[in-house]
Amino acid sequence: MELNEQLDLEPVRWSTDKLRTVRYETSTSTIVARSRGILQSVYQFSTERSGNLALRRVSGLTYRESLSNLVWMQGYTSDGVDIQIGIDPAYIFEQTGCLITPKIVSWSHSSEMHIFEMAHAVLAEMETMLGLQIQGFLPPESTPAISPRDYLSLDHKKTSKLIMLSTRSVLTDLENRIKNYCASYWTDYESMGARVQFELLICIYPLKRHWFVEELADLEVGDLLVLQNFQKDEYRKCIRGALRFRGEQAFKKHYEVFLEMNDEDTQLRFGSDELYSQRDSQATELERTLAPHEQIELEIHAGKTKILFNDLCSVQEGTLIELREHALPLVTLCVMGSPILEGELVHFQDQLMVQVTKRLD
């Protein structure tokens, strides 16, 4: 009997209607689909007056409720940027006992009742928490007509009660503010930060960072490369370098560090995080005149280390970082992440330098 007769090798085909449909509640789900430009984050919190509240930051998902049924108010952020807030009339009634609708607002100019104060009372706590200043009702001709895809929604008992519209930067700032009131967010943040480790590559900088191809090709065993040295005192020298996220080519931020050396030990001390602005201001004349395709940057890799997410967020200038994996004084010289030479830290004429010891084929 042939193998094909022993095994059922008939391919299984699934029709689209057989696939399970994943359903979600837009007011409770956190959604991350960056490649499609869809993000939704939910932050649960409570106030002295209300529980079961959540601020929902949405990008890439269309607001499903009717905009014309909302009572629209005009406000400003602490930076003076406009923000538009649409409130569900049912929520105003639930919070204040006052029935206020868009139609009643349009009549308010001839009414003796303080319509604005009634509607404004709903926003009193949010105004304080988010640093907003509510000015008045939005004129009917200025109310939004197109359902937004980038907004903040205040949800009460899993139902959207009001929506906030402004620029993306303003919405992001308000999202960051509400995190301070979200206990579950900080619990999850601390839990993740205590477990997740980032692997960081330790680089040290030569005095000359940008090279011609011919210059790198001419480097031979025994050649000395001057490093960016700092004299701490008579017994200690300091080499300037950086921590870089290992394997993350798209991440451009480098953290400045200093390797401090004496006869007894080597320490890694955190410096400033304004590394690129400092390096650009110190660029040599050669670096400024090189064409982009000729600016080949030489990196000197001195080892790697791991640091917890919580620790990475709390480091300040001068913080000591443990060196977990290194082969100092041996280093590797790399271009675009590819090792081309091996070297060794040496002391020459009151300078710490790298002496080329091996060319890597």
Side-chain angles (χ1 to χ4, degrees):
M1 184 179 292
E2 294 182 1
L3 182 61
N4 287 347
E5 297 177 357
Q6 297 179 29
L7 302 176
D8 182 10
L9 299 180
E10 185 69 23
V12 178
R13 293 180 174 87
W14 297 82
S15 59
T16 305
D17 60 347
K18 297 288 187 182
L19 297 176
R20 182 168 66 91
T21 301
V22 179
R23 301 185 183 277
Y24 62 88
E25 294 294 333
T26 56
S27 60
T28 60
S29 300
T30 297
I31 305 168
V32 180
R34 297 185 188 279
S35 62
R36 301 292 299 274
I38 300 173
L39 292 172
Q40 176 170 274
S41 302
V42 182
Y43 305 98
Q44 306 284 345
F45 68 98
S46 298
T47 66
E48 294 182 358
R49 185 170 57 177
S50 301
N52 297 319
L53 292 170
L55 192 74
R56 181 160 48 95
R57 172 72 166 95
V58 181
S59 178
L61 291 173
T62 303
Y63 185 71
R64 296 181 177 179
E65 307 297 330
S66 173
L67 298 179
S68 60
N69 294 334
L70 301 179
V71 174
W72 285 95
M73 305 188 76
Q74 177 68 55
Y76 300 93
T77 67
S78 56
D79 296 327
V81 181
D82 291 354
I83 184 167
Q84 300 170 336
I85 303 175
I87 312 174
D88 184 351
Y91 188 56
I92 299 177
F93 183 78
E94 179 184 331
Q95 295 295 309
T96 66
C98 301
L99 178 61
I100 300 176
T101 67
K103 195 66 173 178
I104 293 176
V105 170
S106 67
W107 298 336
S108 62
H109 65 279
S110 60
S111 173
E112 296 180 359
M113 299 180 63
H114 300 291
I115 303 296
F116 171 71
E117 285 77 4
M118 295 176 186
H120 184 210
V122 176
L123 300 175
E125 289 176 307
M126 293 297 295
E127 195 173 7
T128 301
M129 294 167 67
L130 300 179
L132 302 177
Q133 184 177 1
I134 309 302
Q135 294 295 313
F137 291 114
L138 199 63
E141 64 273 11
S142 300
T143 57
I146 301 175
S147 294
R149 293 172 58 85
D150 198 1
Y151 59 90
L152 279 172
S153 173
L154 177 66
D155 299 339
H156 182 231
K157 296 181 180 179
K158 302 181 181 180
T159 304
S160 178
K161 298 301 183 181
L162 66 83
I163 180 175
M164 290 175 271
L165 306 179
S166 188
T167 64
R168 178 164 294 187
S169 61
V170 167
L171 296 179
T172 301
D173 179 63
L174 297 181
E175 177 187 6
N176 291 331
R177 286 173 179 261
I178 205 65
K179 291 175 183 178
N180 295 323
Y181 301 92
C182 180
S184 61
Y185 170 82
W186 289 111
T187 300
D188 294 340
Y189 183 93
E190 289 294 328
S191 174
M192 185 199 75
R195 290 178 295 166
V196 175
Q197 287 187 328
F198 286 101
E199 188 169 302
L200 299 169
L201 191 64
I202 304 168
C203 305
I204 54 179
Y205 287 122
L207 197 62
K208 178 181 178 181
R209 294 190 297 114
H210 291 159
W211 298 65
F212 290 108
V213 177
E214 296 81 0
E215 292 177 314
L216 289 176
D218 288 341
L219 283 177
E220 297 179 353
V221 174
D223 286 349
L224 293 172
L225 280 70
V226 181
L227 302 175
Q228 295 186 20
N229 278 212
F230 296 87
Q231 185 78 35
K232 301 291 288 187
D233 53 42
E234 184 179 355
Y235 304 102
R236 289 190 302 166
K237 287 192 176 292
C238 186
I239 307 175
R240 187 163 179 262
L243 287 178
R244 179 166 62 82
F245 284 89
R246 185 174 175 84
E248 188 57 65
Q249 298 296 333
F251 191 79
K252 301 300 184 183
K253 193 74 171 178
H254 291 198
Y255 294 90
E256 182 184 54
V257 291
F258 296 95
L259 279 167
E260 296 186 1
M261 299 183 172
N262 58 30
D263 293 337
E264 298 179 356
D265 64 359
T266 299
Q267 294 180 328
L268 187 66
R269 188 177 297 276
F270 185 83
S272 167
D273 61 356
E274 301 295 330
L275 185 56
Y276 273 95
S277 60
Q278 292 182 26
R279 288 170 62 189
D280 290 343
S281 65
Q282 296 173 356
T284 65
E285 185 63 32
L286 174 62
E287 293 172 1
R288 285 190 287 267
T289 56
L290 282 176
H293 68 279
E294 296 174 331
Q295 295 182 19
I296 298 179
E297 188 167 351
L298 181 66
E299 280 189 341
I300 301 176
H301 294 178
K304 58 186 178 181
T305 189
K306 289 183 178 180
I307 186 170
L308 285 173
F309 176 74
N310 282 349
D311 294 337
L312 182 62
C313 291
S314 62
V315 293
Q316 300 177 13
E317 187 169 348
T319 300
L320 287 174
I321 300 172
E322 181 182 358
L323 281 173
R324 299 195 178 184
E325 297 181 42
H326 70 88
L328 293 173
L330 301 180
V331 295
T332 305
L333 286 70
C334 302
V335 172
M336 301 292 289
S338 299
I340 60 170
L341 300 165
E342 287 183 354
E344 181 180 4
L345 292 177
V346 296
H347 190 265
F348 179 76
Q349 293 184 351
D350 292 330
Q351 285 276 337
L352 284 170
M353 300 187 178
V354 169
Q355 185 172 37
V356 178
T357 57
K358 183 180 179 181
R359 176 171 287 278
L360 302 175
D361 297 328

